[in-house]
Amino acid sequence: MYRTHNCGELTKKDIGKNVMLSGWIKKIRNLGSLLFLDIRDYFGVTQLIFTKKLLNNGFFLGKEFLIKIEGKVVERVSKNYKIPTGEIEILVYKIKILNKSIEIPFSIENNTDGNEEIRMKYRYLDIRRNTIKNNLINRHKLVLEIRNFLSKKGYLEIETPVLVNYTPEGARNFLVPSRKNSGKFYSLHQSPQMFKQLLMIGGIDKYFQIVKCFRDEDSRSDRQIEFTQIDCEMAFVNVNDVLFFFERFIKHILKKIKKINYRQNFTRISYYDAIKIYGTDSPDIRFGMKFIVLNEIVKKNNINFLIEKELTIGIKIKKSDWNIYNTDKKIDIIFSKIKKSNFLWIQYLPNKTFLYSKNCFFNKKILKIFIKYFKSRPGDILVISYGKKINTRTLLSEIRLIIIKNYHFKKNYKKFNPVWITDFPLLSWEEKYKKFKSVHHPFTSPKKEDIHLLNNHPEKTRSNSYDLIINGTEIGSGSIRINNIKTQKKIFQYLGYSSKEIQYKFGFFIKAFEFGTPPHGGIAFGLDRLINILEEDNNIKNFIAFPKNNEGRDLMTNTPSSLVKNIL
């Protein structure tokens, strides 16, 4: 027997009990004739007290030694009300070392001294920290809530193959050689896309799967080469059906996981409006700062510096939205991160004078024109970007994001503000390869009212697609799928596939369309990103038990590695 209780459950009601605990030594405090130890397990921490006489000669205890003790629960003199066991301690009368530990490479504390590289190399030690352990617990709770919610709503959890035929879906594939079929390969799936559509053709009404997916692309703080999707598909639905249901799904998650009762409808913005208003298809809409087009006022007032520019736009940062007062030096420091020069800033001061960037050559009259047009109040900052349309919106979007990250915005903003981005372009032209590519994927259906554009203006065709953005991060993406064989073949042709290639790569899928394919659609949420945003972190690796680093390597197992035969 290793324990009668765990290290997180004993309280004042247990005083007087004889108990047995097992765990790792977290702290050692030597007070001469007495030793105080903190012992830790999965459940918590308990303080131990015993005399040195209890230890035999040569008996040494170190941090992270695994020990088993027997002792009596007594009231603690110096209480620690920050932990559940902080009012008691164990007066130890028997101790046994279950396993020793070498010197640990970093402190196993919430605020550790270990950098990410060393913690990933010794990830099993990192998991002992409450920070990572609790992240994994919260992920488990989220997954459990997702499974329960979807199952109760009639969704059937079905596993689909991981080893599939190679089909291009956007990112690069991982390939697996076949031992039985020399010279041939499997591909690790990027998503269960075609299989879940085949399930709809097979008569399944609602499907979901919490599934590992694989994409051979660069890792980032919000991306891994292997990641987990909450994958869903429904038959006989349109865009509104999908958005309505999964809006309820996210509200349920917010209520159960974060205790937030989100009552209002999610904002919906078309892709084109998102680019026009925010310069990005994944905007953080919590902080306002919508783009204002200034071409008309520039032309009306004959502002020579800007009149020849294709687009001039600006945003207003309200003084009432932050808690710090700015000087031109502070503002320049924030904007110094931006390497491009085709923007300027103006601040209207309480004494009705101005601060402005070094490249702002406007006279006082023009400054007043902009202040009046933006309805600025003292302390507000205006940022103006100018140049080619696409570059100008991209630049101001970058500036807006830097402002959001650097200013201490007041806490009256919602912690979570989801927005649906809809009606993405169906196709985009790749000048380098002289062909179209799918903006979402090749199975996304065009909007009914844009079908007539497919023949002559495919680049103008909008799709029945949608992304869910929360606080500037894409959490989910989906679409209504093509269920017409002619339309599906036409999309493949626009993507540059010959009839032979279509048959070779997608023949089984196209064949299925001949057997009464229902209208259907779905969505996939990134589980890693979702738990990351819910817990307000900035690195999904903190919520994955054994993640890869930003180069796609597992530092603990030294993966990937060379295949060396007869290494011994």
Side-chain angles (χ1 to χ4, degrees):
M1 188 173 180
Y2 290 105
R3 59 189 181 186
T4 57
H5 298 78
N6 66 55
C7 294
E9 67 175 309
L10 294 170
T11 62
K12 283 182 71 174
K13 65 178 175 54
D14 299 300
I15 289 174
K17 289 182 180 178
N18 290 313
V19 297
M20 186 184 301
L21 300 179
S22 291
W24 290 269
I25 296 176
K26 177 180 170 63
K27 288 181 180 178
I28 303 175
R29 295 182 295 282
N30 189 339
L31 299 183
S33 60
L34 291 178
L35 278 180
F36 288 87
L37 299 184
D38 285 350
I39 184 176
R40 178 208 331 109
D41 66 4
Y42 171 86
F43 301 95
V45 176
T46 298
Q47 181 168 287
L48 312 178
I49 180 173
F50 55 90
T51 64
K52 282 191 174 180
K53 291 180 181 180
L54 186 64
L55 303 180
N56 298 322
N57 291 334
F59 195 94
F60 172 76
L61 294 175
K63 280 189 177 182
E64 298 307 311
F65 275 38
L66 185 64
I67 62 172
K68 169 186 166 184
I69 65 95
E70 295 179 42
K72 185 177 181 179
V73 181
V74 297
E75 187 169 1
R76 185 167 167 174
V77 176
S78 177
K79 295 179 174 58
N80 179 1
Y81 295 105
K82 293 180 181 180
I83 59 175
T85 61
E87 294 183 85
I88 61 93
E89 59 192 3
I90 311 300
L91 183 58
V92 178
Y93 52 74
K94 189 174 182 181
I95 184 169
K96 179 181 180 181
I97 295 177
L98 297 177
N99 227 323
K100 295 181 180 181
S101 172
I102 62 172
E103 184 178 351
I104 52 175
F106 55 88
S107 62
I108 301 180
E109 303 286 349
N110 288 347
N111 297 316
T112 181
D113 55 1
N115 60 34
E116 184 176 90
E117 182 175 351
I118 195 72
R119 288 188 293 107
M120 289 186 71
K121 185 175 181 180
Y122 297 94
R123 185 62 167 183
Y124 43 87
L125 295 180
D126 202 25
I127 291 171
R128 290 183 189 175
R129 295 195 304 126
N130 279 336
T131 304
I132 302 300
K133 179 193 74 176
N134 290 336
N135 284 346
L136 297 179
I137 291 171
N138 290 335
R139 182 186 175 111
H140 162 76
K141 290 177 179 177
L142 175 61
V143 169
L144 192 61
E145 202 58 56
I146 290 166
R147 277 203 163 92
N148 289 338
F149 180 85
L150 293 175
S151 298
K152 288 176 182 177
K153 299 298 181 182
Y155 284 74
L156 192 63
E157 184 169 12
I158 302 174
E159 292 181 343
T160 54
V162 174
L163 294 172
V164 299
N165 191 26
Y166 169 76
T167 54
E169 295 181 55
R172 290 178 292 272
N173 295 65
F174 285 103
L175 300 179
V176 181
S178 170
R179 179 179 60 84
K180 289 275 190 177
N181 302 278
S182 181
K184 296 188 177 182
F185 295 83
Y186 301 101
S187 174
L188 296 180
H189 71 178
Q190 293 186 26
S191 78
Q193 184 61 47
M194 284 190 286
F195 287 98
K196 67 179 179 178
Q197 290 189 240
L198 292 171
L199 287 173
M200 299 300 105
I201 298 174
I204 301 298
D205 195 67
K206 297 182 182 74
Y207 142 96
F208 85 97
Q209 184 180 186
I210 298 175
V211 58
K212 277 284 188 183
C213 299
F214 307 87
R215 294 180 186 175
D216 187 7
E217 56 188 5
D218 295 338
S219 294
R220 297 196 301 244
S221 62
D222 66 344
R223 178 186 292 170
Q224 288 271 293
I225 58 175
E226 55 174 317
F227 57 96
T228 305
Q229 273 188 188
I230 309 157
D231 201 57
C232 306
E233 197 78 6
M234 297 79 54
F236 304 104
V237 291
N238 58 34
V239 169
N240 283 331
D241 295 328
V242 177
L243 300 196
F244 177 76
F245 178 82
F246 284 101
E247 195 163 307
R248 288 170 59 201
F249 168 75
I250 293 295
K251 287 178 179 178
H252 175 82
I253 294 301
L254 286 173
K255 187 174 183 179
K256 290 291 185 179
I257 302 299
K258 301 302 294 181
K259 311 303 180 189
I260 294 174
N261 197 4
Y262 199 102
R263 295 183 180 278
Q264 59 266 53
N265 294 330
F266 292 0
T267 302
R268 295 189 189 185
I269 306 175
S270 74
Y271 166 83
Y272 297 96
D273 283 342
I275 297 298
K276 183 179 179 181
I277 298 170
Y278 298 106
T280 176
D281 59 7
S282 54
D284 188 338
I285 66 172
R286 292 174 296 168
F287 305 102
M289 294 188 290
K290 294 181 179 180
F291 292 2
I292 296 175
V293 178
L294 302 171
N295 286 42
E296 186 177 332
I297 189 175
V298 166
K299 186 176 180 181
K300 182 179 177 180
N301 292 277
N302 196 31
I303 302 174
N304 292 329
F305 176 61
L306 297 173
I307 203 163
E308 299 298 325
K309 308 301 180 185
E310 186 176 11
L311 179 66
T312 302
I313 53 177
I315 56 175
K316 177 173 71 176
I317 314 162
K318 295 180 182 179
K319 174 64 176 75
S320 59
D321 286 342
W322 64 61
N323 293 323
I324 59 172
Y325 188 77
N326 298 285
T327 65
D328 53 347
K329 187 174 182 181
K330 285 182 181 177
I331 299 169
D332 273 332
I333 288 172
I334 290 173
F335 290 150
S336 66
K337 300 175 182 180
I338 302 165
K339 302 305 179 185
K340 296 176 183 177
S341 59
N342 52 326
F343 76 96
L344 55 90
W345 61 265
I346 306 164
Q347 185 176 33
Y348 184 41
L349 299 178
N351 62 3
K352 297 186 179 180
T353 59
F354 304 93
L355 291 175
Y356 42 82
S357 54
K358 295 175 183 177
N359 64 334
C360 180
F361 305 111
F362 299 148
N363 59 39
K364 193 171 183 179
K365 179 183 176 182
I366 294 174
L367 290 174
K368 285 183 175 179
I369 289 170
F370 283 119
I371 293 299
K372 184 178 179 181
Y373 191 77
F374 277 90
K375 299 178 181 178
S376 294
R377 295 178 178 273
D380 292 353
I381 294 178
L382 309 180
V383 182
I384 296 171
S385 175
Y386 47 86
K388 294 289 185 181
K389 283 184 178 180
I390 295 177
N391 296 338
T392 299
R393 285 199 168 96
T394 300
L395 174 59
L396 195 55
S397 175
E398 180 186 346
I399 293 170
R400 183 178 179 273
L401 190 60
I402 286 173
I403 291 165
I404 288 171
K405 287 183 176 179
N406 284 274
Y407 281 122
H408 302 288
F409 280 93
K410 291 181 179 177
K411 294 181 179 179
N412 58 343
Y413 288 101
K414 300 170 189 170
K415 280 190 174 183
F416 304 102
N417 200 345
V419 54
W420 290 110
I421 307 298
T422 63
D423 301 343
F424 284 79
L426 184 68
L427 300 164
S428 64
W429 179 253
E430 284 190 309
E431 185 61 33
K432 181 179 179 180
Y433 301 105
K434 302 296 181 185
K435 67 177 183 178
F436 286 101
K437 70 173 183 178
S438 295
V439 172
H440 267 68
H441 55 60
F443 317 109
T444 302
S445 71
K447 290 182 74 70
K448 187 176 181 181
E449 56 267 38
D450 286 5
I451 285 284
H452 68 284
L453 296 171
L454 259 184
N455 290 327
N456 299 315
H457 299 286
E459 75 285 353
K460 295 182 180 179
T461 308
R462 294 171 298 164
S463 64
N464 280 316
S465 57
Y466 32 83
D467 283 0
L468 181 64
I469 312 298
I470 301 181
N471 301 355
T473 298
E474 180 194 317
I475 298 299
S477 183
S479 67
I480 301 301
R481 322 305 186 186
I482 296 168
N483 72 325
N484 178 282
I485 192 169
K486 290 182 180 179
T487 304
Q488 186 63 79
K489 284 183 175 180
K490 183 180 288 291
I491 296 300
F492 284 147
Q493 289 165 358
Y494 273 129
L495 298 177
Y497 297 119
S498 66
S499 297
K500 286 185 177 180
E501 285 178 310
I502 294 171
Q503 182 58 36
Y504 180 75
K505 294 179 178 178
F506 303 101
F508 72 97
F509 188 66
I510 292 292
K511 186 66 178 177
F513 274 49
E514 298 177 353
F515 295 95
T517 302
H520 59 287
I523 191 168
F525 297 95
L527 176 63
D528 310 308
R529 286 187 181 181
L530 180 56
I531 184 62
N532 187 61
I533 201 80
L534 288 174
E535 297 302 320
E536 300 174 75
D537 204 308
N538 58 7
N539 193 337
I540 63 171
K541 290 193 283 291
N542 292 331
F543 298 88
I544 300 170
F546 299 100
K548 306 288 190 294
N549 70 4
N550 287 355
E551 283 73 48
R553 296 189 62 231
D554 182 337
L555 301 179
M556 183 181 67
T557 63
N558 194 29
T559 305
S561 59
S562 301
L563 295 179
V564 181
K565 292 183 179 180
N566 302 322
I567 196 167
L568 300 178

